[in-house]
Amino acid sequence: MTTVVKVGGARAVDPAGALADVATLVDAGEDVVLTHGGSTAVDETLEELGEEPTYVETPGGVVGRFTDERAMDVFKMVMPGKLNTDLVEGLQNEGVNAVGLSGTDGKLLEGKRKSAVRVLEDGTKKIKRGDHSGTIESVNADLLETLLAGGYVPVVSVPVLGREKDGGFTAVNADADRAAAAVAGALGADLLILTDVEGVYEDPEDPSTLIEEATTPADLKRIEDAAEGFMTKKVMAARESLEGGASSVVVSDANVDEPLVSAVEGAGTHVSASVLEADGGEESANAPPEVDAQ
């Protein structure tokens, strides 16, 4: 069985425990793909360069990053550069032979570029042009399976390969949670989304309201209704991964001891493929946003 692990990119997420646990899983004979975000590092780099990160709200109420040309240059530098390299280095130090990849390598993650997005400004719907984002439509699973068969752990990051109207390609931004979902779906894998909270809370301000399990369509709607802020994208990713073929999803805390082992043993919010039964794969009320972000 393959496990896809997504490590969050927020400052509050420490990847050290996850890297050690990846080594444990690999030693036990498991195939693991590590994916990661990096929104904090991208924003900090933009600010160091005298640029302000731009976030916009979609008509559906979801807040996401607007990636202009300058921000895209920073993404190329930070995501497949420093952050991906740091994780590969960390895994090598754990005795894991890791290979860093961006979505542009071998057409690993491919989709259509969205150069214009629908946004909501002061209560008015507008079209904002000049965006460098996209929605992932295909995953080169053969590339990942070849690496896994060779004993390597792929470490995957955005950007992805965006198709232009003229048939050419441009590197574009895509949401890291949803990229992990696409990979997990393509591999029929278990997806573990590690973040800086224990899972999905019924009340986002109260950890005691953790929703431990979702096994029915009603349960899925419950966690979709409960998700706010950054958790909205993670719940979207959970649904998308299962619709794409993933076997299960866990949203759990990256900062506990042995975070992957803890998640496998029951920590966090567990979502099984049965949540789609009788659901018809219908789009949730929290529809995927027109704007992608980390």
Side-chain angles (χ1 to χ4, degrees):
M1 187 65 192
T2 302
T3 300
V4 174
V5 179
K6 191 272 177 173
V7 178
R11 181 194 297 275
V13 174
D14 183 354
L19 299 184
D21 272 2
V22 168
T24 299
L25 293 179
V26 170
D27 287 343
E30 298 253 359
D31 287 336
V32 181
V33 177
L34 181 65
T35 72
H36 65 90
S39 58
T40 299
V42 170
D43 285 351
E44 289 177 346
T45 304
L46 281 168
E47 289 166 0
E48 288 171 1
L49 295 171
E51 307 282 345
E52 282 293 327
T54 301
Y55 288 86
V56 294
E57 181 181 357
T58 74
V62 178
V63 175
R65 180 192 299 276
F66 183 83
T67 310
D68 60 16
E69 185 174 2
R70 181 58 168 162
M72 193 66 240
D73 286 341
V74 172
F75 264 95
K76 291 177 182 178
M77 177 173 63
V78 174
M79 294 293 291
K82 176 175 171 49
L83 294 182
N84 192 276
T85 300
D86 284 350
L87 290 172
V88 171
E89 177 186 35
L91 285 172
Q92 299 289 1
N93 284 321
E94 294 288 346
V96 175
N97 203 358
V99 176
L101 298 166
S102 81
T104 65
D105 294 318
K107 294 185 177 180
L108 177 57
L109 303 174
E110 186 179 342
K112 183 179 179 181
R113 179 189 172 184
K114 296 183 294 185
S115 59
V117 294
R118 293 186 294 275
V119 302
L120 192 65
E121 292 183 2
D122 300 322
T124 301
K125 295 180 182 179
K126 298 181 179 180
I127 299 294
K128 191 173 179 67
R129 303 188 183 279
D131 194 30
H132 288 68
S133 69
T135 300
I136 298 166
E137 297 174 339
S138 66
V139 176
N140 186 349
D142 287 344
L143 175 56
L144 296 175
E145 289 167 350
T146 297
L147 290 169
L148 292 169
Y152 299 99
V153 170
V155 180
V156 178
S157 77
V158 298
V160 308
L161 204 58
R163 292 189 305 277
E164 299 280 7
K165 292 181 179 179
D166 63 5
F169 292 102
T170 300
V172 296
N173 181 25
D175 178 69
D177 290 311
R178 297 170 75 183
V183 171
L187 295 175
D190 294 318
L191 174 60
L192 303 183
I193 300 175
L194 299 180
T195 183
D196 60 352
V197 295
E198 295 175 52
V200 183
Y201 302 148
E202 190 85 59
D203 176 355
E205 302 299 322
D206 185 356
S208 71
T209 65
L210 173 70
I211 301 172
E212 296 182 354
E213 187 177 34
T215 60
T216 68
D219 291 339
L220 178 59
K221 187 176 188 309
R222 179 186 175 200
I223 66 171
E224 288 176 333
D225 290 344
E228 293 184 1
F230 73 93
M231 189 58 72
T232 303
K233 294 280 184 70
K234 300 184 190 309
V235 173
M236 286 180 184
R239 172 185 276 272
E240 289 175 7
S241 66
L242 295 172
E243 290 175 340
S247 52
S248 68
V249 182
V250 183
V251 180
S252 192
D253 191 346
N255 298 321
V256 299
D257 292 336
E258 300 183 321
L260 301 189
V261 174
S262 297
V264 170
E265 292 180 348
T269 298
H270 289 243
V271 187
S272 71
S274 61
V275 297
L276 300 180
E277 293 177 3
D279 183 57
E282 294 178 3
E283 191 170 295
S284 71
N286 291 324
E290 292 85 350
V291 180
D292 293 299
Q294 289 304 305

